[in-house]
Amino acid sequence: MAAAATTASGLHMKTANPCFSSSSSSSRMMILKATTTISTVDSKAIKLTSSSNIASAPSMQPLFRTSSSGSSLKFVTKAMSETKEGVLPGLPIDLRGKRAFIAGVADDNGYGWAIAKSLAAAGAEILVGTWVPALNIFENSLRRGKFDESRVLPDGSLMEITKTYPLDAVYDSLEDVPEDVKTNKRYAGSSKWTVKEVAESVKQDFGTIDILVHSLANGPEVSKPLLETSRSGYLAAISASSYSYVSLLKHFIPIMNPGGAAISLTYIASERIIPGYGGGMSSAKAALESDTRVLAFEAGRRSKIRVNTISAGPLGSRAAKAIGFIDKMINYSLENAPIQKELSASEVGNAAAFLVSPLASAITGTVIYVDNGLNAMGVGVDSPVFGDLGIPKDN
């Protein structure tokens, strides 16, 4: 039997040539000595020995000798842990050789940045799309090292962004852009920033991508109750926050490698009443989740692309400050979620890395909640109504 090497989902195995012997003329004694290399977190050698009886091995043709005793076949496996260069320990999220385009990164404190860091930590190459009016500030901050502290990865290196593209995902093509936007000084000096143009630029620069991340939303009337929201404000929220995901997939799928994955970010307001989260934004998030299911079917059947969305808990990012009461939502979550701690952006980033990795190859069309379990609650347990129930809580 020739030596074989098998790699699956980051678990690396190497099987050595077996040795066979027998101590019976009426049966065959087979002893298989195999060395299996499995990367472990502490990289210490661990020896495992197991024995089992094998009834038959019709597909194997071992070398053997016969003798006068013995009546069973024994299989002995010896496994030793080793850490080999280029082999990640344990069962890793391995995105080496993958390229990701992340739409909606404009600073270093939002979910988009955290997702970029997690994907980079797993080995992916990072491309980002930044809203055109924020592009110069973002690129200048990168160049001047203002984000260096936030760029530090678990191994001590700094996250590298291979290229930043100007992007306004509200517009599919140049023909859709109104004249007042084209001539707006905030867009001066930038070109090829519609979704179609950005996809074409990425194709020209890199050929293909493997991962698409939608991390953007906007509701110009988010502070208004739904009954006071204008038609234009409502449709603007839908356009920027949900249809933009459809548009990104439409234009990027042709350059995505089969087996790739796309993810977006949603919020519990899609299915629960969150007073103050208005302007049609709750409707936009509900549309995003519905579209995720449909897109999972269409992208899966057409191009073998998985499509999921993450329902993330509240985060005090600059973008979230526009809602006006994000700090209160963070405190509410802290008081009422099953896990009483403040949600970190990195937890959402790590969930995203898992979802786009081969470890999640059977997950598509799904809303994944990363909110300390707040989505599961039917009531706010910080209410005085529950004061006498003795509910455990952190002080």
Side-chain angles (χ1 to χ4, degrees):
M1 181 185 296
T6 303
T7 304
S9 301
L11 183 63
H12 300 264
M13 303 184 68
K14 181 180 179 182
T15 305
N17 292 329
C19 298
F20 303 97
S21 65
S22 174
S23 59
S24 173
S25 58
S26 59
S27 63
R28 301 170 183 174
M29 175 68 76
M30 178 178 70
I31 300 177
L32 172 62
K33 293 182 179 178
T35 300
T36 304
T37 301
I38 304 176
S39 297
T40 59
V41 174
D42 61 5
S43 302
K44 294 180 180 179
I46 302 173
K47 294 185 179 180
L48 304 173
T49 303
S50 63
S51 299
S52 62
N53 293 331
I54 301 178
S56 63
S59 62
M60 301 176 65
Q61 299 181 358
L63 299 175
F64 63 91
R65 291 177 301 161
T66 62
S67 65
S68 59
S69 62
S71 59
S72 63
L73 293 174
K74 291 186 178 180
F75 180 88
V76 181
T77 303
K78 189 193 301 181
M80 181 175 290
S81 166
E82 295 178 6
T83 298
K84 300 177 67 174
E85 184 177 356
V87 178
L88 295 179
L91 186 65
I93 295 175
D94 189 355
L95 299 177
R96 291 173 297 177
K98 305 295 184 182
R99 182 178 297 117
F101 181 86
I102 304 168
V105 179
D107 55 42
D108 66 339
N109 73 343
Y111 284 136
W113 178 272
I115 291 172
K117 278 189 68 175
S118 291
L119 301 189
E125 180 181 13
I126 304 299
L127 314 175
V128 302
T130 300
W131 189 44
V132 184
L135 180 66
N136 287 336
I137 295 175
F138 179 70
E139 290 188 321
N140 286 336
S141 295
L142 274 175
R143 277 196 299 269
R144 294 175 181 176
K146 291 185 177 180
F147 296 155
D148 282 359
E149 185 176 350
S150 300
R151 290 171 59 202
V152 178
L153 298 177
D155 65 358
S157 65
L158 298 182
M159 174 179 68
E160 296 293 339
I161 297 176
T162 302
K163 187 165 184 176
T164 302
Y165 292 85
L167 172 68
D168 192 329
V170 168
Y171 305 106
D172 297 331
S173 63
L174 188 59
E175 292 74 23
D176 299 326
V177 183
E179 194 61 34
D180 63 321
V181 174
K182 291 180 181 178
T183 57
N184 191 308
K185 63 180 182 180
R186 302 175 76 189
Y187 288 76
S190 296
S191 60
K192 297 182 179 181
W193 42 259
T194 65
V195 176
K196 180 181 179 181
E197 291 173 310
V198 172
E200 291 172 346
S201 295
V202 172
K203 179 180 179 180
Q204 182 178 354
D205 294 340
F206 299 97
T208 61
I209 65 170
D210 304 278
I211 299 163
L212 178 65
V213 179
H214 176 278
S215 177
L216 46 86
N218 184 49
E221 299 180 17
V222 66
S223 60
K224 292 184 179 181
L226 190 57
L227 284 173
E228 298 176 14
T229 300
S230 68
R231 182 182 296 270
S232 61
Y234 183 94
L235 295 178
I238 295 287
S239 175
S241 308
S242 56
Y243 185 77
S244 54
Y245 193 30
V246 178
S247 181
L248 282 168
L249 277 164
K250 176 182 177 180
H251 291 95
F252 273 86
I253 278 179
I255 66 169
M256 291 185 72
N257 293 315
I263 54 172
S264 64
L265 292 169
T266 184
Y267 183 49
I268 193 64
S270 63
E271 54 187 287
R272 299 284 190 273
I273 299 169
I274 307 293
Y277 192 74
M281 281 303 300
S282 58
S283 306
K285 292 302 185 181
L288 181 67
E289 293 179 16
S290 178
D291 290 344
T292 294
R293 291 183 283 271
V294 177
L295 291 168
F297 173 76
E298 295 183 359
R301 289 298 182 95
R302 294 183 185 184
S303 305
K304 294 181 173 57
I305 302 297
R306 295 183 296 107
V307 182
N308 292 291
T309 188
I310 294 175
S311 184
L315 178 74
S317 64
R318 292 189 183 94
K321 296 291 185 183
I323 300 175
F325 65 103
I326 187 63
D327 291 333
K328 293 180 179 179
M329 289 305 301
I330 292 173
N331 291 334
Y332 177 85
S333 177
L334 189 62
E335 289 293 326
N336 293 285
I339 304 298
Q340 284 192 277
K341 66 176 182 59
E342 189 169 332
L343 182 70
S344 71
S346 63
E347 291 172 308
V348 172
N350 292 341
F354 163 73
L355 281 176
V356 302
S357 77
L359 297 179
S361 60
I363 301 175
T364 192
T366 301
V367 178
I368 301 294
Y369 297 93
V370 184
D371 61 358
N372 289 322
L374 186 64
N375 71 92
M377 300 302 297
V379 295
V381 295
D382 61 345
S383 170
V385 173
F386 304 103
D388 297 332
L389 294 184
I391 297 174
K393 59 185 299 184
D394 292 337
N395 296 322

